[in-house]
Amino acid sequence: MVEERMGECWSHTKDQFDNLEKHTQWGIEFVEKYTKFVKERSEIEASYAKQIRNLSKKYQPKKNSREEEESKYTFCRAFLTTLNELNDYAGQHEVIAENLTSQIIGELSRYLQELKSERKSHFHDGRKAQQHIESSWKQLESCKRRFERDCKEADRAQQYFEKMDADINVTKADVEKARQQAQMRHQMAADSKNDYSSYLQKFNQEQNEHYYTVIPNIFQKLQDMEEKRIERLGVCMKTFADVDRQVLPIVGKCLDGMTKSAESIEPKTDSKQVVESYKSGFEPPGDVEFEDYGQAMKRTTSNTSLSNSSKESKEKPAGKSKTGKLWPFIKNKNKGSGPEDFSHLPPEQRRKKLQGKIDELNKDIQKEMDQRDALTKMKDVYVKNPQMGDPASVDPRLSEISQNIEKLQLEVQKFEGWLAEVEERMPSKSDTHRRSGVYETQNNPAVVSNNCAQDRERRPCMCSQYIYCMCWPLSSPDGSYTEEQNSETQVKAKPNPTSTAPEVDDEFDDDEEVLPTIGTCKALYPFEGHNEGTIALAEGELLYVIEEDKGDGWTRVRRKEDEEGYVPTSYIEVFLEANAKGAMTYI
């Protein structure tokens, strides 16, 4: 009845105690095997993530190298984005490894300890019950053998008494003694019978309790333990899949980022960038004039040709070729970095190099100034609190920084001079549109003054209030430039540099458009604005912003409708409009 009540349970295997012990041990070994499997998978994920990160790091562009220059191409930026997304992708594999370790390996390791302890307790109780029933069985066998022995002894004593009683030669005393002995043996047999019967009843009760109560309860606990183990394995296997599924959205975003970066590649834009990076600024040489050596006449060189001038030809030793230089097809023989002023480069490339050098020097100056400010604050603290340090200990470093700033300022001035020289030689937009009138310019040098130096708008100069001057023009060359032709024009224009300068300025002012308002600003400090092109500020004053800071430290503002100029960006707080497209740039 008990077995029917318990249904399909391990109580049906009450005689298979050893086999169940082996089965549960195999279950524990299987959990250990699965834990080892997950651990190896976690190690593989961690190793894979590390290799992917190293791969991404290996191909990241290095600073101060050609790869940094290549980042302006769309396909290089797409590759950089791919590397960054790949790095994030590796991070998700690290997350997988971490989650496998924490959610499965750690949990199973703790559960294994509990499982072994619980199994050991249950089988200890089972072995104890088994030993008890075996001990009871042995005691029952002992009672049975004693009862059997006493019965045999009683039968022999009875037979001996009957024999003595039948023998007429035996004395009455011997017969009485034999009778008493037989009675004693029969009493012992009766006692043994009672003991055997009592212990047999007790054993049957214990055996029934053992096989129908104790062992089924122990096996039921073992069954529950085994089912929990199987259930726990199922949960871990589900977690094993969920760990991967949880990172799939982020992995998908990484792959989408790679796809988007690949779709952002623009061949036409990269082609334009190649032109922008390598255009020389030279014009193609003009037609070579026919020189008739049969006529005794004075020959002149073409102004539109890139051949050497007559003066240069005279200076050349006899026997050398008079053929002009074809700039685009001449290989640069200068190896290494070239001259400091980049004079070996074409005008456009030289301008870019000089501008980049000036920007680097300005950054170095700013760093030195930041260090000087920090040391000055430290010195002030030492002066106010002498116990914190000696103020004189900071002076050597301040002196060194001041010397470094002076050296950097001299370098900036030197490169700015070279930059101004290059920009003076390069034509502005109006020169490009009027290129057809080059020969008229040569015949009438009064039309051009200082190579259109006044034709460019200049930024306000604050040399008296700032460390370095930001006086270079906003305009940039259009890339078409003939150095010798422009130089000749400049030489011819020198006799009367002031006669036409106002005319050129007036022409530029008339063509200048009114810039739209892109935001507002509030003056944080007062500014006098004595220099040309600047505007004075009063602390707390509100102005309109019409041109953002281009990185030179100046912002163009307007007061009312007719007064505008530049102010230091650090003196104002700018509030740009949400739909503002940024400042207009003069090209």
Side-chain angles (χ1 to χ4, degrees):
M1 295 297 293
V2 177
E3 293 181 3
E4 292 178 0
R5 252 187 297 115
M6 300 186 70
E8 296 296 333
C9 64
W10 285 16
S11 62
H12 296 166
T13 61
K14 49 183 172 288
D15 56 343
Q16 298 293 320
F17 189 85
D18 294 338
N19 288 333
L20 290 180
E21 185 176 12
K22 293 178 181 178
H23 176 77
T24 52
Q25 179 61 32
W26 172 77
I28 290 177
E29 292 175 354
F30 186 87
V31 175
E32 293 175 342
K33 176 182 177 181
Y34 183 76
T35 304
K36 184 178 180 181
F37 159 74
V38 177
K39 184 177 181 181
E40 291 182 1
R41 163 74 193 282
S42 176
E43 292 174 352
I44 290 173
E45 291 290 344
S47 176
Y48 177 68
K50 182 179 180 180
Q51 292 178 7
I52 291 294
R53 282 195 183 279
N54 290 338
L55 179 65
S56 176
K57 183 178 179 181
K58 177 181 179 181
Y59 285 92
Q60 286 285 346
K62 308 298 186 298
K63 293 183 178 179
N64 300 324
S65 67
R66 176 174 174 79
E67 294 185 16
E68 188 174 358
E69 293 290 331
E70 294 173 352
S71 62
K72 53 191 174 186
Y73 296 103
T74 60
F75 63 89
C76 291
R77 292 197 296 270
F79 180 58
L80 179 60
T81 303
T82 300
L83 292 177
N84 294 333
E85 295 293 349
L86 190 63
N87 192 58
D88 295 339
Y89 177 80
Q92 297 311 306
H93 284 276
E94 290 178 347
V95 171
I96 291 176
E98 293 174 358
N99 290 341
L100 288 176
T101 302
S102 61
Q103 299 181 20
I104 298 181
I105 299 176
E107 291 293 329
L108 285 183
S109 298
R110 288 189 294 270
Y111 177 68
L112 270 173
Q113 299 299 325
E114 298 174 1
L115 184 63
K116 290 179 181 179
S117 177
E118 183 179 359
R119 175 182 174 276
K120 182 179 180 181
S121 175
H122 293 330
F123 279 102
H124 175 73
D125 294 341
R127 278 189 289 269
K128 185 177 179 180
Q130 194 75 15
Q131 291 173 0
H132 178 71
I133 197 66
E134 290 176 358
S135 176
S136 297
W137 172 257
K138 290 179 181 179
Q139 290 181 4
L140 177 63
E141 286 293 320
S142 177
C143 290
K144 181 181 178 181
R145 286 192 298 269
R146 186 168 62 250
F147 171 60
E148 182 182 6
R149 186 176 62 251
D150 290 344
C151 287
K152 289 180 181 180
E153 291 291 335
D155 289 342
R156 284 196 296 269
Q158 183 65 28
Q159 291 175 3
Y160 180 75
F161 165 70
E162 292 176 354
K163 181 180 178 182
M164 292 293 290
D165 188 38
D167 191 356
I168 59 175
N169 297 323
V170 178
T171 62
K172 189 177 181 179
D174 290 337
V175 173
E176 185 63 25
K177 183 178 180 181
R179 186 182 65 80
Q180 292 177 357
Q181 185 68 26
Q183 288 178 353
M184 183 185 68
R185 290 295 179 183
H186 279 292
Q187 184 63 39
M188 290 178 63
D191 294 339
S192 297
K193 180 180 179 180
N194 292 333
D195 291 342
Y196 172 64
S197 175
S198 174
Y199 205 85
L200 179 61
Q201 184 179 1
K202 179 181 178 183
F203 174 78
N204 288 334
Q205 183 179 357
E206 289 180 352
Q207 180 178 250
N208 184 70
E209 184 179 0
H210 175 79
Y211 285 106
Y212 289 96
T213 304
V214 177
I215 291 299
N217 288 338
I218 293 176
F219 281 6
Q220 184 63 41
K221 293 179 181 178
L222 289 172
Q223 182 179 352
D224 295 341
M225 178 194 74
E226 185 68 7
E227 290 176 355
K228 288 180 181 179
R229 177 190 68 81
I230 297 172
E231 182 181 2
R232 181 64 66 91
L233 275 176
V235 171
C236 290
M237 291 180 182
K238 182 180 178 181
T239 304
F240 184 83
D242 290 341
V243 165
D244 278 76
R245 186 176 292 108
Q246 289 171 359
V247 301
L248 286 180
I250 303 179
V251 170
K253 290 182 180 179
C254 294
L255 298 178
D256 292 342
M258 296 180 189
T259 303
K260 186 176 180 181
S261 65
E263 294 173 350
S264 67
I265 296 177
E266 298 178 357
K268 296 293 184 182
T269 303
D270 290 344
S271 297
K272 292 179 181 178
Q273 186 61 50
V274 173
V275 175
E276 182 65 23
S277 299
Y278 298 109
K279 65 181 179 181
S280 65
F282 290 116
E283 290 183 358
D287 295 338
V288 179
E289 296 180 359
F290 176 76
E291 300 183 10
D292 190 357
Y293 288 93
Q295 299 291 333
M297 60 181 292
K298 184 177 180 181
R299 293 180 295 273
T300 60
T301 58
S302 173
N303 289 328
T304 59
S305 175
L306 290 179
S307 60
N308 294 336
S309 63
S310 59
K311 181 179 179 180
E312 291 176 344
S313 300
K314 291 179 181 179
E315 292 177 355
K316 286 185 178 180
K320 292 201 174 181
S321 173
K322 298 181 180 179
T323 304
K325 296 179 181 179
L326 300 180
W327 289 98
F329 309 103
I330 296 177
K331 294 183 179 179
N332 185 12
K333 297 181 181 180
N334 294 327
K335 303 295 182 180
S337 60
E340 185 182 10
D341 60 351
F342 306 107
S343 58
H344 63 293
L345 297 177
E348 179 69 18
Q349 300 299 319
R350 184 185 180 191
R351 184 189 66 80
K352 291 182 179 179
K353 289 287 186 180
L354 290 172
Q355 186 64 61
K357 188 67 176 178
I358 291 173
D359 294 340
E360 291 179 4
L361 291 172
N362 287 333
K363 290 180 181 179
D364 294 339
I365 289 176
Q366 188 61 43
K367 290 180 181 179
E368 295 291 337
M369 292 173 63
D370 293 341
Q371 291 185 16
R372 184 181 64 182
D373 295 341
L375 289 174
T376 303
K377 292 180 180 179
M378 183 184 297
K379 183 177 180 180
D380 293 340
V381 172
Y382 288 168
V383 171
K384 296 178 180 179
N385 301 286
Q387 66 274 12
M388 297 183 65
D390 183 12
S393 61
V394 186
D395 292 338
R397 180 58 180 161
L398 285 173
S399 177
E400 180 182 354
I401 292 177
S402 299
Q403 293 177 2
N404 292 340
I405 292 177
E406 292 178 1
K407 291 179 182 179
L408 291 173
Q409 289 174 3
L410 293 176
E411 288 290 319
V412 169
Q413 293 176 5
K414 179 173 64 175
F415 280 95
E416 283 178 348
W418 289 332
L419 180 62
E421 177 185 352
V422 172
E423 290 184 338
E424 286 174 0
R425 292 182 180 180
M426 299 186 72
S428 62
K429 271 191 173 181
S430 57
D431 293 336
T432 304
H433 294 309
R434 295 192 298 268
R435 189 174 297 161
S436 57
V438 160
Y439 297 102
E440 296 178 6
T441 304
Q442 293 178 356
N443 296 330
N444 186 13
V447 177
V448 180
S449 175
N450 291 333
N451 199 22
C452 299
Q454 278 79 16
D455 210 22
R456 295 190 303 270
E457 179 181 355
R458 293 184 175 272
R459 292 191 182 277
C461 178
M462 290 295 298
C463 300
S464 60
Q465 300 185 24
Y466 286 87
I467 295 300
Y468 51 94
C469 177
M470 303 297 294
C471 300
W472 54 81
L474 284 169
S475 60
S476 59
D478 60 354
S480 53
Y481 170 69
T482 304
E483 182 174 342
E484 293 153 355
Q485 168 190 323
N486 201 276
S487 300
E488 184 178 355
T489 304
Q490 181 180 357
V491 172
K492 291 183 178 182
K494 282 184 178 180
N496 189 10
T498 59
S499 59
T500 59
E503 298 178 4
V504 178
D505 287 340
D506 294 340
E507 180 183 355
F508 181 82
D509 292 338
D510 293 337
D511 294 339
E512 184 177 359
E513 297 181 359
V514 178
L515 296 177
T517 300
I518 62 173
T520 59
C521 67
K522 179 181 179 181
L524 301 177
Y525 314 101
F527 176 67
E528 297 179 358
H530 294 310
N531 294 292
E532 181 180 359
T534 61
I535 185 173
L537 288 177
E539 184 176 354
E541 183 179 5
L542 294 176
L543 300 171
Y544 294 103
V545 178
I546 59 176
E547 184 179 345
E548 287 186 83
D549 187 356
K550 294 296 189 302
D552 55 4
W554 293 93
T555 300
R556 194 171 181 180
V557 300
R558 177 184 296 145
R559 180 186 290 113
K560 298 180 181 180
E561 295 295 335
D562 54 351
E563 187 177 3
E564 63 182 43
Y566 288 92
V567 296
T569 305
S570 59
Y571 278 50
I572 59 174
E573 184 178 3
V574 180
F575 306 96
L576 295 180
E577 298 176 357
N579 58 351
K581 296 183 179 180
M584 181 181 295
T585 304
Y586 289 104
I587 299 177

